[in-house]
Amino acid sequence: MRGAKNAKKRLWRWRSNPLRRHDDIVEAWIVLAVWAFVGVGGAVAGTVTARAADVVFAQQRAERRPVRAVLLTSVPKSAVTGGAADDRRLATVRYPAPDGSSRSGLTRVDSGLSAGTSVMAWEDGRGHLVSEPPSAAAAGVEAAVLGTAAACAVAGAVLGAGAVARWRLDERRTALWGREWDLVGPQWGHRTG
């Protein structure tokens, strides 16, 4: 019984009522459209973004390969101890390109290594040094985070547009009430007992 009363309160703009204005119907359609776009648009944007990110990460894992590189310069030990900071630094290394030639470039290596040490580097199909591709699990998490962010961005934009539209309707209703009061107000003036 109580649920029926709550439903009637929530759906009052849709029922026939002599006090219902055209703006109330417009507002009801705006609210319905906003929530439909938040649900459907957010889900679609999130799914498309997550799948696109997952494809990119899979492509990176397929294209990039590890290579043995030789450190050309020594990398001093990091002064930060206790460990929250990343203990890797950029250093110059020499590595074999896919065509067999020898190249040099910058990559991140552990600190505290001396020149001539063999390190692992990652290169793409063109022989350029790149960062290590994310693992399948890390890529899945990152794709999910990106999809959630896209869904939230779409939902926020739609909710903001709906709030602006409802604010404009409120401004219009307030102006109409003011004009109606200007007509009716003088008829009520100074009639106290």
Side-chain angles (χ1 to χ4, degrees), residues 30-155:
I30 288 172
V31 169
L32 180 66
V34 163
W35 285 110
F37 279 119
V38 163
V40 175
V44 167
T47 302
V48 168
T49 302
R51 286 190 178 165
D54 204 30
V55 166
V56 168
F57 295 140
Q59 204 172 29
Q60 287 178 354
R61 283 192 304 276
E63 180 184 278
R64 296 176 182 182
R65 66 183 186 94
V67 293
R68 276 278 165 218
V70 176
L71 198 58
L72 296 179
T73 59
S74 295
V75 182
K77 186 73 174 159
S78 177
V80 177
T81 58
D86 185 13
D87 203 23
R88 296 175 59 86
R89 295 185 173 192
L90 281 177
T92 305
V93 295
R94 185 175 49 247
Y95 63 99
D99 62 3
S101 64
S102 181
R103 293 188 182 172
S104 63
L106 290 173
T107 191
R108 294 184 69 81
V109 297
D110 294 332
S111 63
L113 298 176
S114 59
T117 304
S118 179
V119 294
M120 185 67 67
W122 289 83
E123 71 177 353
D124 61 11
R126 297 180 310 250
H128 300 291
L129 288 179
V130 291
S131 61
E132 180 179 358
S135 67
V141 169
E142 193 167 346
V145 168
L146 290 171
T148 302
C152 289
V154 167

